[in-house]
Amino acid sequence: MAACRYSVVLIAFALLVCDSTCATPKNDEGDTAEKTESDIADDVTLAEAVHTQKSDAVSQTQAGRTPNPETPESKQKESLRQWEATEVTVDTNADVQSNEEAPDRRDAEVIDSVPPPPPPKDQFQEELVIRPLQSGDIYASFQFRTRWDTDFFQQGRKVAHYRLFPKSLGQVITKFSLRELHISFTQGYWRTMQWGQPFLSAPPGAELWVWFQDTVTDVDGAWKELTNVLSGIFCASLNFIDSTNTVQPSASFKPLGVGNVTDQRFLRYAVLPREIVCTENLTPWKKLLPCGSKAGLAVLLKSEKLFHSSFHSQSVHIRPVCQDWQCTSTAWELRQTLGVVFDMHTSGQSRREWSLFKMFSRTLTEACPLASSSKVYVDITDNSQGELFDLTPATPTLSQAVVLGDRRTYSVYDLTTPEPFGTLRSLNVLLKWKTTDAADMLRPLLHGERYVAGYGLQTGEIHTLIYNNHPYRAFPVLLLEMVPWYLRLYIHTLTVTSKSRENKPSYIHYQPSKDRLRPHLLEMLVQLPPNSVTEVTVQFERALLKWTEYTPDPNHGFYVGSSVISALVPSVVAMDTNSTKEHPLFSSFFPCKEESAYFVRVYTEPLLVNLPTPDFSMPYNVICLTCTVVAVGYGSLYNLLTRTFQVEEPSPGLTKRLANVIRWLRGVPPL
Amino acid sequence: MATCGSHCHLYLKIFALLCLHLLPVASNYVEARASQLFSSGHTNNWAVLVCTSRFWFNYRHVANTLSVYRSVKRLGIPDSHIVLMLADDMACNHRNPKPATVFSHKNMELNVYGDDVEVDYRGYEVTVENFLRVLTGRLPPSTPRSKRLLSDDRSNILIYLTGHGGNGFLKFQDSEEISNVELADAFEQMWQKRRYNELLFIIDTCQGASMYERFYSPNLMALASSQVGEDSLSHQPDLAIGVHLMDRYTFYLLEFLEDIHPASQSNMNDLFKVCPKSQCVSTPGHRTDLFQRDPGSVLITDFFGSVRKVEITTETINLTSPIVQQEDKHMMGEPTSEAQSYVDQLPVAEIIHQKPKRKDWHPPDGFILGLWTLILLVFFKTYGIKHLKHIF
């Protein structure tokens, strides 16, 4: 009966999908295709134009993007402030020139018989971004990037010489034929409504998603082994990832690196919402850095301070990226990020005043000697005239970057130069607020929430709320929910409403769970109307576990991982679609395909659900045992003693019974 | 790039000079020391440190284990040779007023958690099964090295357990327990598999002596914090943290170990004297009848420290073949001609228009309906309706 109902519902959904796809001609496919083509064409022309250095197209695109720092007017205006050269002209120019001049130079040097240093095939960059939050808290985000121009999968050759890239991860990539690996460990929940969007969001607990190369035959086996290996590398309980918490999303989690083919069969996604994050996870993470925690920005990573915070998230992302603007060959990128939010109240200060020393109990004295760039950025977008806070030491260098659809201004301290360290030989960035009250923050355009409704231990309802705070633009989001098997979803009760009207998802993928084998997977593409809240509800029933399946602390409840919201949010300023341009690290993670929107992934809260739990305590079990003994032992004895026995007549034979049946049919009294 | 191979001639010469100026007077003493150094017959050290208790009020058990961890690490056993099992996370517990720390002394004097701890088994992973699998080496093949006890017959192993126990058992995480017989059998299996040379077993729990009663394998030495019938008591209540920080026995053990350095000559007899009844309230016990050597000749560092046996060569070794970097040629030789691009992160049109999964072939519903109709028609045509009157 139930199965039948499900199938009917599914058919209905299929019809819905078909309807919406047929009925709404969006031309998205055609548009994007055209756009990407034109983009590529644009890039090519751009590069050529830059090469010749005489083209209107270049100046137009530049004018459209950022105030051109190279023009004399801006230089005159900003006589005190000097803009950092992050423009495309400089870099591609240098690239092209070096490409062109390389043979000449080499010839010249051969003549001089001085061996040139081999071009570094790997490079390391480090970066710290400090964003003061309106609430008085402060967000510090570390980004470390190691890039290596090598190919782990070349035929007949093993990569054996590692310089900056950590060998442990390189071997993992080779052994398991990984295409991409993304792992994050997070403690605490990112409060989007108070803090805005993070540079890179992550769900509480541990999250792991991996793209395997399409040469892998046994993906599930490789995935299981990989989780075991990673649990050893990162000192985490990743070995608890098995088929009951792994899914294979059908549309979410597209690869972040380059690659022409994507087949979702090679993707695995798992999340462990219960995973604790502490020093033992930070230690191996720091060991992956070329300088360890000995020099550079990583000296600030002291666990006593990092974990004394409202939010802590560390992650490792490995992906192939383009080596150059042509993108004919790939390089491997290892990106390690660590984000932390220090709370004004928990750190026990009443004044809104932050410094590196207060946050990390260390100051900076040098850059990592192996790093090709080492920078500290402080977000001063809201503080252009110094009206909100004072920043010392003042730095003349400014930089602009388009982050999450908005153009932000940053003060930059370049640690590879001696200037920021001053006479004291140490850099202690100090931020002193002038106001004491928390100002209102611009509400983030996209925001997600989730909670469990209902009472009792039998059924319940999961509510997921997705907010679109844009005043006039609608945009699509892809929602992914992974629910463990012991919450049995009633998928026929699924409703999607926005502005109190039904909002038909244009795509639904539902994979029902199997008990003790796999979780529920629900993916849907929803168009969020402008300025609205979209609510997704689905009812569930709580299953009874076997008694060995309960955790040692079952009364704590069971966690359900965050749902994942991937969205194309309309951006305020034009995004930069040129992926070869040198961006600051924090603004260059998600590849951007169109100018009008940026991609963002948002996570909701994880859920904590109580399951019907037997009483595992000792008194209860003693009582149970005693009662059993009384019932069986004493009860039967009492029965024996008090019952009176009678000898029963032997039962009649078969013929007699048959005869009686016939007599009964005839209506005659039995023999 | 191309010039490097031909220009670089890498000659590495290793000179190791051993200069021993032995005065005749001191020679006897040095020989005695040297003979003692190698008397234990082991070549490597391992440690398995287990805290079996969950929940915040068992803070002291985590602190116990971490203080032993701190000592063995300080005395030279590397993290790769320590299997640390902590059943709960006290350091980053929400009730901990000083996150990422675990203190063993009042007034937050000694942070035993440190800044570079590596916990191998944590939380729900600390089970009797995993503990016995680590000891006996029966782990799934993909288990990483850091979670294995890769000892051999030249290994000295220190095993430290703490938690809540009773006469003959030790509880794991409030949900299961290991008995002294199981533990003794596991050690016997280790011995038969040549997984240890000598083994030192320390347990800090109530009625701890009951846990080593059943041991029967050779080369075992065992210590316990309390005798059968005695409780093991806690120490160092802290008002800020709100719970007891340590158990008495391990507290005085840590105090004793803090004075040990890698060259210490303290022996096991000194360890047996740790925490007399006046300090511990319980009576610490020890068992040495299975051990071959005299405890007085066994150094503390035989178990708590790490052997660094260095063999010094006086000969010069020439590494004549220069290391040629061959990868460059390969790299430049064959660049992939195909231009690659980044994938669209949310290809809306593609998602909407993607083909639904092909199901297994199924005859159309109309066909099946027709077939049944045909069957019924033929049936009634043949037999007629009247034969079915007892049904209707």
Side-chain angles (χ1 to χ4, degrees):
Chain A
M1 179 64 201
C4 173
R5 199 164 47 189
Y6 283 169
S7 65
V8 168
V9 170
L10 284 179
I11 289 167
F13 276 137
L15 289 177
L16 278 184
V17 172
C18 181
D19 263 352
S20 55
T21 50
C22 307
T24 54
K26 290 201 173 159
N27 290 338
D28 272 348
E29 198 172 24
D31 269 355
T32 44
E34 275 174 29
K35 205 166 271 174
T36 44
E37 269 175 30
S38 61
D39 275 351
I40 292 166
D42 227 20
D43 289 353
V44 174
T45 49
L46 189 78
E48 281 170 2
V50 166
H51 181 50
T52 52
Q53 294 251 332
K54 278 178 193 173
S55 174
D56 300 333
V58 179
S59 55
Q60 272 173 14
T61 48
Q62 279 175 0
R65 276 170 196 160
T66 48
N68 193 346
E70 305 296 318
T71 50
E73 298 97 39
S74 63
K75 264 186 188 169
Q76 282 166 6
K77 263 186 208 167
E78 305 283 340
S79 53
L80 287 175
R81 292 181 164 186
Q82 142 201 4
W83 289 84
E84 209 190 17
T86 50
E87 277 298 300
V88 67
T89 48
V90 182
D91 294 309
T92 31
N93 202 1
D95 270 356
V96 171
Q97 273 184 359
S98 65
N99 277 348
E100 269 210 338
E101 287 177 12
D104 302 350
R105 202 195 299 155
R106 200 169 294 148
D107 285 349
E109 276 159 359
V110 167
I111 291 166
D112 285 345
S113 78
V114 177
K121 290 169 143 299
D122 47 355
Q123 55 158 340
F124 174 65
Q125 288 171 283
E126 54 178 10
E127 197 171 83
L128 164 64
V129 191
I130 295 172
R131 189 207 285 171
L133 303 168
Q134 297 285 358
S135 55
D137 306 337
I138 197 155
Y139 173 41
S141 168
F142 292 85
Q143 310 256 345
F144 302 94
R145 187 175 86 153
T146 313
R147 223 193 79 160
W148 191 11
D149 298 353
T150 188
D151 187 2
F152 282 112
F153 303 107
Q154 209 160 51
Q155 291 294 316
R157 191 179 60 89
K158 262 179 89 175
V159 177
H161 295 287
Y162 289 81
R163 210 174 73 96
L164 297 179
F165 202 89
K167 191 174 181 181
S168 56
L169 290 181
Q171 285 176 334
V172 167
I173 294 173
T174 323
K175 173 141 198 288
F176 296 103
S177 301
L178 300 186
R179 180 171 165 191
E180 284 191 16
L181 176 114
H182 303 270
I183 185 167
S184 74
F185 298 98
T186 307
Q187 180 95 302
Y189 179 68
W190 180 271
R191 295 170 201 291
T192 315
M193 292 309 273
Q194 291 166 32
W195 299 337
Q197 284 300 351
F199 293 119
L200 191 60
S201 50
E207 184 200 39
L208 173 69
W209 56 286
V210 171
W211 277 91
F212 291 92
Q213 298 278 349
D214 43 15
T215 51
V216 179
T217 47
D218 179 17
V219 179
D220 287 313
W223 166 253
K224 184 68 205 143
E225 255 185 72
L226 174 71
T227 52
N228 273 325
V229 169
L230 289 177
S231 84
I233 292 177
F234 291 104
C235 280
S237 315
L238 294 173
N239 47 330
F240 281 132
I241 292 177
D242 54 8
S243 67
T244 60
N245 48 22
T246 302
V247 289
Q248 189 185 316
S250 69
S252 313
F253 294 102
K254 296 280 178 199
L256 282 169
V258 289
N260 288 342
V261 200
T262 55
D263 185 350
Q264 302 279 133
R265 281 182 301 144
F266 297 101
L267 167 66
R268 289 294 180 276
Y269 173 78
V271 61
L272 295 173
R274 181 84 205 257
E275 189 66 17
I276 43 175
V277 185
C278 208
T279 311
E280 65 257 28
N281 303 110
L282 186 67
T283 311
W285 187 90
K286 282 195 287 194
K287 283 184 183 168
L288 299 176
L289 296 171
C291 289
S293 52
K294 302 284 188 292
L297 295 173
V299 296
L300 301 177
L301 303 173
K302 291 288 163 199
S303 57
E304 295 109 75
K305 286 292 183 181
L306 286 184
F307 292 101
H308 203 167
S309 57
S310 319
F311 175 82
H312 169 94
S313 173
Q314 62 188 64
S315 60
V316 170
H317 303 272
I318 302 174
R319 59 172 179 172
V321 292
C322 291
Q323 260 186 27
D324 45 19
W325 60 272
Q326 285 170 321
C327 212
T328 51
S329 47
T330 56
W332 282 85
E333 182 195 74
L334 164 70
R335 203 180 265 258
Q336 290 178 258
T337 66
L338 189 146
V340 59
V341 175
F342 292 103
D343 188 272
M344 189 171 63
H345 301 291
T346 52
S347 51
Q349 49 177 335
S350 48
R351 281 180 303 162
R352 289 152 64 106
E353 190 179 311
W354 290 103
S355 66
L356 284 186
F357 190 78
K358 260 189 189 158
M359 289 189 272
F360 303 106
S361 72
R362 294 283 188 288
T363 56
L364 287 170
T365 51
E366 55 172 347
C368 170
L370 296 170
S372 59
S373 94
S374 174
K375 285 174 182 164
V376 176
Y377 293 84
V378 181
D379 192 336
I380 54 158
T381 313
D382 307 325
N383 190 43
S384 51
Q385 306 302 320
E387 63 267 33
L388 282 179
F389 52 80
D390 283 331
L391 183 64
T392 48
T395 172
T397 326
L398 294 181
S399 162
Q400 276 200 338
V402 179
V403 186
L404 299 166
D406 195 8
R407 180 169 292 121
R408 315 288 297 178
T409 314
Y410 294 91
S411 285
V412 188
Y413 301 87
D414 190 351
L415 302 187
T416 47
T417 58
E419 283 89 40
F421 299 112
T423 49
L424 289 172
R425 299 289 174 96
S426 86
L427 173 64
N428 185 20
V429 177
L430 180 71
L431 254 165
K432 199 184 271 181
W433 284 79
K434 290 180 176 167
T435 53
T436 51
D437 47 337
D440 278 343
M441 199 198 62
L442 208 64
R443 289 207 294 173
L445 294 181
L446 175 68
H447 171 54
E449 280 177 7
R450 194 153 72 136
Y451 58 90
V452 174
Y455 54 88
L457 285 175
Q458 197 185 359
T459 55
E461 194 170 34
I462 297 178
H463 289 246
T464 310
L465 306 178
I466 312 171
Y467 292 80
N468 175 4
N469 291 328
H470 201 285
Y472 54 86
R473 287 274 305 263
F475 57 83
V477 298
L478 184 63
L479 176 74
L480 180 142
E481 301 224 26
M482 184 167 80
V483 181
W485 63 267
Y486 40 78
L487 302 186
R488 302 211 167 102
L489 289 188
Y490 291 159
I491 201 67
H492 67 280
T493 60
L494 179 73
T495 58
V496 185
T497 47
S498 25
K499 294 189 165 173
S500 66
R501 287 173 58 193
E502 195 188 353
N503 185 352
K504 283 181 192 170
S506 44
Y507 167 78
I508 285 193
H509 171 80
Y510 174 64
Q511 186 194 44
S513 72
K514 283 184 186 161
D515 278 6
R516 298 174 179 85
L517 273 183
R518 71 174 191 208
H520 302 267
L521 170 68
L522 179 62
E523 276 181 288
M524 49 187 155
L525 187 71
V526 189
Q527 184 83 5
L528 301 185
N531 201 10
S532 69
V533 186
T534 304
E535 185 170 21
V536 179
T537 63
V538 62
Q539 290 178 10
F540 63 87
E541 185 191 56
R542 300 162 211 242
L544 271 173
L545 300 183
K546 293 178 181 166
W547 74 277
T548 47
E549 287 169 345
Y550 285 98
T551 53
D553 52 350
N555 292 307
H556 183 87
F558 290 78
Y559 283 87
V560 179
S562 312
S563 41
V564 188
I565 302 168
S566 319
L568 279 177
V569 181
S571 60
V572 180
V573 293
M575 298 296 290
D576 195 350
T577 53
N578 184 357
S579 59
T580 55
K581 199 174 123 178
E582 282 288 321
H583 295 281
L585 294 182
F586 58 86
S587 68
S588 62
F589 190 59
F590 289 112
C592 191
K593 284 262 178 175
E594 36 184 331
E595 288 195 344
S596 61
Y598 64 97
F599 179 79
V600 68
R601 194 171 283 137
V602 175
Y603 296 88
T604 63
E605 299 95 334
L607 299 176
L608 182 58
V609 182
N610 272 314
L611 291 188
T613 309
D615 193 338
F616 289 111
S617 62
M618 195 181 78
Y620 175 80
N621 287 301
V622 167
I623 291 168
C624 282
L625 195 68
T626 325
C627 290
T628 314
V629 167
V630 166
V632 175
Y634 174 75
S636 49
L637 186 70
Y638 180 80
N639 218 344
L640 272 176
L641 291 176
T642 53
R643 181 171 288 185
T644 54
F645 292 94
Q646 280 185 338
V647 181
E648 206 179 315
E649 283 181 18
S651 62
L654 186 70
T655 39
K656 198 175 179 186
R657 261 193 266 172
L658 268 177
N660 272 337
V661 169
I662 295 166
R663 288 173 76 89
W664 174 73
L665 285 174
R666 286 167 57 206
V668 188
L671 287 173
Chain B
M1 167 218 68
T3 51
C4 178
S6 57
H7 281 280
C8 300
H9 295 285
L10 192 63
Y11 289 100
L12 282 183
K13 295 181 177 181
I14 298 175
F15 292 102
L17 294 176
L18 178 63
C19 302
L20 289 175
H21 301 284
L22 295 180
L23 295 171
V25 186
S27 68
N28 282 337
Y29 174 67
V30 170
E31 274 172 20
R33 288 281 301 277
S35 68
Q36 206 176 20
L37 184 67
F38 298 111
S39 65
S40 76
H42 69 291
T43 57
N44 55 70
N45 280 83
W46 288 81
V48 182
L49 314 173
V50 190
C51 157
T52 65
S53 299
R54 175 170 280 275
F55 304 122
W56 173 248
F57 52 83
N58 292 320
Y59 184 98
R60 59 183 189 278
H61 293 150
V62 174
N64 286 346
T65 315
L66 284 169
S67 59
V68 178
Y69 171 78
R70 171 194 155 84
S71 303
V72 296
K73 206 168 160 183
R74 184 176 60 81
L75 290 172
I77 304 185
D79 261 324
S80 56
H81 282 210
I82 304 174
V83 181
L84 180 60
M85 304 172 110
L86 296 181
D88 204 352
D89 170 49
M90 294 304 163
C92 291
N93 197 300
H94 298 296
R95 297 191 198 177
N96 194 343
K98 293 266 290 176
T101 55
V102 172
F103 291 101
S104 66
H105 284 57
K106 262 191 280 195
N107 306 324
M108 305 189 179
E109 278 162 16
L110 181 62
N111 175 17
V112 287
Y113 199 59
D115 207 29
D116 55 350
V117 63
E118 285 186 15
V119 184
D120 301 306
Y121 287 82
R122 56 182 199 167
Y124 298 146
E125 289 175 276
V126 183
T127 57
V128 173
E129 183 188 339
N130 278 348
F131 175 61
L132 292 181
R133 282 184 183 278
V134 166
L135 289 187
T136 54
R138 299 175 168 206
L139 287 157
S142 56
T143 310
R145 287 180 75 88
S146 64
K147 291 188 165 189
R148 287 171 183 268
L149 180 70
L150 295 168
S151 56
D152 53 25
D153 59 343
R154 297 279 105 198
S155 307
N156 273 13
I157 304 181
L158 166 72
I159 292 179
Y160 177 86
L161 293 174
T162 181
H164 290 284
N167 193 348
F169 68 90
L170 176 72
K171 278 207 301 182
F172 269 67
Q173 302 227 15
D174 260 7
S175 64
E176 52 183 353
E177 54 278 316
I178 187 172
S179 71
N180 49 3
V181 181
E182 283 172 310
L183 197 60
D185 289 344
F187 288 153
E188 175 62 19
Q189 199 180 119
M190 287 174 76
W191 172 251
Q192 291 188 4
K193 285 176 156 180
R194 297 172 173 270
R195 284 175 67 77
Y196 69 83
N197 172 46
E198 287 170 337
L199 195 146
L200 176 66
F201 176 81
I202 303 180
I203 187 162
D204 187 347
T205 175
C206 298
Q207 318 202 28
S210 66
M211 287 304 284
Y212 60 66
E213 274 175 353
R214 302 295 181 98
F215 289 175
Y216 55 95
S217 315
N219 287 348
L220 283 178
M221 195 187 305
L223 286 97
S225 63
S226 54
Q227 295 295 335
V228 178
E230 279 182 341
D231 282 346
S232 185
L233 296 165
S234 57
H235 199 32
Q236 300 276 327
D238 185 275
L239 288 177
I241 295 174
V243 287
H244 285 81
L245 299 188
M246 284 280 264
D247 279 327
R248 281 173 183 270
Y249 180 72
T250 313
F251 178 80
Y252 291 108
L253 179 69
L254 176 65
E255 214 170 60
F256 171 75
L257 289 175
E258 286 290 298
D259 295 333
I260 305 285
H261 50 90
S264 296
Q265 293 300 305
S266 316
N267 57 39
M268 284 296 159
N269 281 331
D270 300 324
L271 187 65
F272 297 154
K273 289 179 201 136
V274 165
C275 198
K277 191 164 184 182
S278 57
Q279 287 176 325
C280 254
V281 184
S282 60
T283 324
H286 56 88
R287 183 174 172 191
T288 54
D289 56 325
L290 297 169
F291 207 71
Q292 313 283 335
R293 290 193 283 154
D294 172 33
S297 70
V298 181
L299 299 181
I300 299 290
T301 49
D302 279 359
F303 289 100
F304 286 89
S306 179
V307 171
R308 289 194 203 87
K309 206 171 160 189
V310 181
E311 288 177 18
I312 298 166
T313 175
T314 50
E315 291 168 11
T316 310
I317 300 166
N318 282 334
L319 298 176
T320 44
S321 60
I323 298 163
V324 184
Q325 281 202 333
Q326 293 181 336
E327 51 184 316
D328 296 351
K329 288 172 196 165
H330 286 283
M331 281 307 297
M332 302 306 282
E334 35 185 350
T336 45
S337 54
E338 188 187 7
Q340 295 184 310
S341 63
Y342 288 96
V343 182
D344 206 349
Q345 287 299 305
L346 189 58
V348 176
E350 192 185 302
I351 293 172
I352 293 175
H353 294 295
Q354 74 179 330
K355 293 270 188 301
K357 260 188 203 162
R358 299 299 302 170
K359 284 177 189 155
D360 297 334
W361 185 82
H362 191 262
D365 291 347
F367 175 76
I368 294 172
L369 208 65
L371 198 68
W372 274 109
T373 322
L374 195 71
I375 291 169
L376 289 176
L377 272 177
V378 168
F379 182 83
F380 288 124
K381 190 80 184 166
T382 322
Y383 298 104
I385 197 89
K386 63 181 181 205
H387 292 282
L388 300 171
K389 65 181 176 193
H390 61 276
I391 296 179
F392 300 111

